[in-house]
């Protein structure tokens, strides 16, 4: 689902601004909170990310709609996959029984176990990467949204299918956005692979770059 929920909430907000009554507070609070959460998470600001996600989640929970809450939890899980944190997604799993099929399919995709039948239910931008046979790097490169591109690359790495071109595209994407957390993760993978391949000079270059990013410009 990635940022589908954020975009959907934005659409509802715009529609509400052009008609009466105004959009409910929960829509604005959830939309703004999730946007700020994603920005804070990707930049590595743990304190802000926790506060913003909690605020967005409370706004969505006030609706009593499992689908909305499930999508927020999937946004959080997608951000972790984009940053190569391949843990479980407990926030979604507690809602799985009441979540729509599309949300269950996306959760399975993030976990690296999407079935062929579920691929058609994924957000359109993820279908090509999920269904690619062999070289999946063109499908990743073809994803316009940077966040979704990193998520797709993360799923490929989770499944052992991320080749050097996918790693480079992911690192370039995170770098272009100034997203420190995923950039450090992807550079780390590149450095380890260079070391394993005996490419000492390349590994050292990547380690210097990691140090630069980790130092925050100090």
């Amino acid at each position: 689902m990635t940022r589908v929920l954020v975009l959907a909430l934005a659409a509802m907000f715009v529609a509400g601004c052009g008609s009466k009554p105004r959009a409910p507070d929960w829509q604005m609070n959830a939309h703004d909170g999730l946007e700020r959460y994603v920005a804070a998470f990707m930049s590595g600001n743990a304190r802000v990310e926790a506060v913003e996600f909690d605020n967005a989640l409370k706004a969505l929970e006030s609706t009593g709609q499992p689908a909305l809450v499930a999508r927020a939890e999937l946004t959080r899980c997608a951000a972790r996959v984009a940053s190569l944190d391949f843990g479980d997604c407990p926030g979604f799993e507690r809602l799985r029984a009441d979540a729509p099929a599309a949300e269950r399919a996306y959760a399975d995709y993030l976990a690296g176990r999407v079935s062929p039948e579920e691929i058609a239910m994924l957000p359109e931008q993820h279908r090509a990467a999920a269904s690619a046979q062999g070289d999946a790097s063109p499908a990743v490169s073809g994803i316009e949204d940077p966040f979704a591109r990193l998520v797709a690359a993360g799923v490929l790495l989770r499944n052992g299918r991320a080749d050097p071109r996918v790693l480079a595209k992911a690192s370039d994407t995170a770098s272009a956005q100034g997203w420190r957390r995923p950039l450090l993760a992807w550079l780390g993978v590149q450095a380890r692979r260079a070391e394993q391949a005996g490419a000492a000079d390349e590994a050292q270059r990547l380690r210097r770059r990691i140090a630069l990013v980790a130092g925050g410009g100090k």
Side-chain angles (χ1 to χ4, degrees):
M1 208 57 50
T2 315
R3 301 174 77 177
V4 171
L5 175 60
V6 176
L7 296 175
L9 289 170
M12 287 190 288
F13 172 65
V14 171
C17 288
S19 61
K20 294 183 179 180
R22 67 189 288 275
D25 287 343
W26 73 264
Q27 286 182 14
M28 294 181 285
N29 292 339
H31 168 262
D32 293 347
L34 280 176
E35 283 281 12
R36 289 191 293 264
Y37 160 74
V38 170
F41 182 91
M42 301 301 267
S43 68
N45 192 329
R47 182 185 62 81
V48 172
E49 77 176 66
V51 171
E52 294 297 348
F53 188 83
D54 185 60
N55 290 339
L57 198 64
K58 287 179 179 177
L60 293 168
E61 288 174 342
S62 71
T63 70
Q65 298 184 49
L68 291 177
V69 181
R71 290 174 194 170
E73 291 289 359
L74 288 173
T75 297
R76 175 159 62 174
C77 296
R80 290 174 176 168
V81 170
S83 302
L84 308 186
D85 179 352
F86 296 144
D88 295 330
C89 192
F92 172 79
E93 292 303 326
R94 69 185 174 90
L95 300 163
R96 179 180 280 272
D98 297 312
E103 278 66 29
R104 296 197 300 272
Y106 189 66
D108 291 342
Y109 170 67
L110 294 177
R113 58 171 184 265
V114 68
S115 69
E117 295 75 21
E118 289 178 312
I119 290 176
M121 292 185 283
L122 295 177
E124 184 176 357
Q125 55 196 346
H126 287 285
R127 294 172 195 165
S131 61
Q133 300 295 319
D135 182 12
S137 59
V140 172
S141 297
I143 298 175
E144 293 185 4
D145 178 65
F147 186 87
R149 193 183 309 136
L150 281 179
V151 172
V155 172
L156 287 174
L157 184 65
R158 187 169 202 167
N159 287 333
R161 298 183 58 212
D163 65 18
R165 286 171 295 177
V166 171
L167 301 185
K169 176 59 71 172
S171 293
D172 290 346
T173 298
S175 175
Q177 298 298 314
W179 287 338
R180 179 174 296 166
R181 178 175 285 174
L183 179 55
L184 287 170
W186 286 101
L187 288 174
V189 173
Q190 287 183 289
R192 288 191 294 274
R193 287 200 178 180
E195 290 165 351
Q196 292 166 0
D201 289 346
E202 176 64 6
Q204 289 174 7
R205 183 188 70 81
L206 289 164
R207 293 295 180 189
R208 289 194 298 270
R209 193 174 175 195
I210 289 170
L212 179 64
V213 176
K218 296 179 181 178

